[in-house]
Amino acid sequence: MHGHHDRPSMVSVGTIIWLSSELMFFAALFAAYFTIRSVSPDLWEQNTQLLDVPFALANTTILVLSSLTCQLGVFAAERGQAGRTGSLLQFKLWGLREWFILTYLMGSVFVAGQAVEYANLVQEGVTMQDSAYGSMFYLTTGFHGIHVAGGLIAFLLVLGRTYLARKFTHEQAVSAIVVSYYWHFVDVVWIGLFATIYLVK
């Protein structure tokens, strides 16, 4: 079920196949975004001026860096290290838990940042029902936000499992690895969304 030394884990393979279907979902959102934009260029020009690009860039940086902390947690899991072996300030001695908790916090900051941005745009009159631009903006970023929230729940499940189990097992390491696949996927999709929505005006 979890693979052998000479073949990949079936859990990992299944996760990659599932992420491929998720990729097609986001590809459809990108296609809809560009299609509607091509027939409403004036609407896009008017509304993109209201976007806070520096704030979104800072939020994006936090999410992208969370991929690094997530991967460091995976490296710890592959070593069989669930928790830190030294002081909390000794980052080199951190285990899966510490890196995943930091990743969770960074992901939470990203979601909170999106909520702040939504509130500001609503005050500017950019709502989902207001225009085609508003509909596409909130659909694309909103679905991504839901995926980020799903990733945060997955981190909690993995962390809870490490605390409840008597010892750190190979199956727990596999769980951490597949969660990292999902998180990296979510980050890469956001880079594409950020470039499309905030940079390509």
Side-chain angles (χ1 to χ4, degrees):
M1 180 64 180
H2 296 286
H4 302 279
H5 70 279
D6 59 344
R7 71 183 84 167
S9 163
M10 294 308 294
V11 176
S12 298
V13 172
T15 301
I16 292 171
I17 293 172
W18 172 64
L19 290 178
S20 298
S21 68
E22 288 290 289
L23 180 62
M24 298 307 294
F25 170 76
F26 279 104
L29 286 178
F30 276 104
Y33 181 92
F34 281 112
T35 300
I36 297 175
R37 176 182 173 174
S38 67
V39 297
S40 308
D42 295 336
L43 186 62
W44 252 250
E45 183 178 355
Q46 174 186 353
N47 284 277
T48 52
Q49 301 301 320
L50 301 174
L51 297 176
D52 190 347
V53 178
F55 179 82
L57 178 60
N59 214 26
T60 298
T61 302
I62 292 171
L63 187 65
V64 171
L65 288 177
S66 74
S67 253
L68 173 62
T69 60
C70 177
Q71 191 58 41
L72 289 171
V74 169
F75 291 153
E78 290 174 340
R79 295 193 304 268
Q81 183 183 351
R84 60 189 171 90
T85 57
S87 167
L88 189 60
L89 298 178
Q90 294 177 294
F91 303 111
K92 292 182 179 180
L93 301 179
W94 276 17
L96 168 68
R97 293 173 187 151
E98 289 75 28
W99 287 118
F100 268 27
I101 288 172
L102 180 56
T103 304
Y104 177 88
L105 293 174
M106 295 171 79
S108 299
V109 169
F110 174 82
V111 172
Q114 270 201 312
V116 169
E117 185 178 22
Y118 283 3
N120 292 337
L121 287 173
V122 168
Q123 288 183 347
E124 294 287 344
V126 181
T127 61
M128 182 174 284
Q129 66 272 18
D130 178 63
S131 66
Y133 175 83
S135 296
M136 290 313 305
F137 176 84
Y138 289 109
L139 279 175
T140 52
T141 60
F143 272 116
H144 178 268
I146 292 172
H147 281 73
V148 173
L152 296 178
I153 293 172
F155 281 123
L156 290 179
L157 293 175
V158 171
L159 287 168
R161 191 176 180 188
T162 66
Y163 282 109
L164 292 174
R166 294 182 179 178
K167 64 178 183 177
F168 190 73
T169 63
H170 172 71
E171 286 74 17
Q172 292 180 52
V174 170
S175 297
I177 291 169
V178 297
V179 168
S180 77
Y181 290 167
Y182 178 82
W183 195 251
H184 295 324
F185 169 80
V186 167
D187 282 8
V188 170
V189 168
W190 178 253
I191 292 173
L193 283 174
F194 175 77
T196 299
I197 295 172
Y198 295 91
L199 302 182
V200 184
K201 295 185 177 182

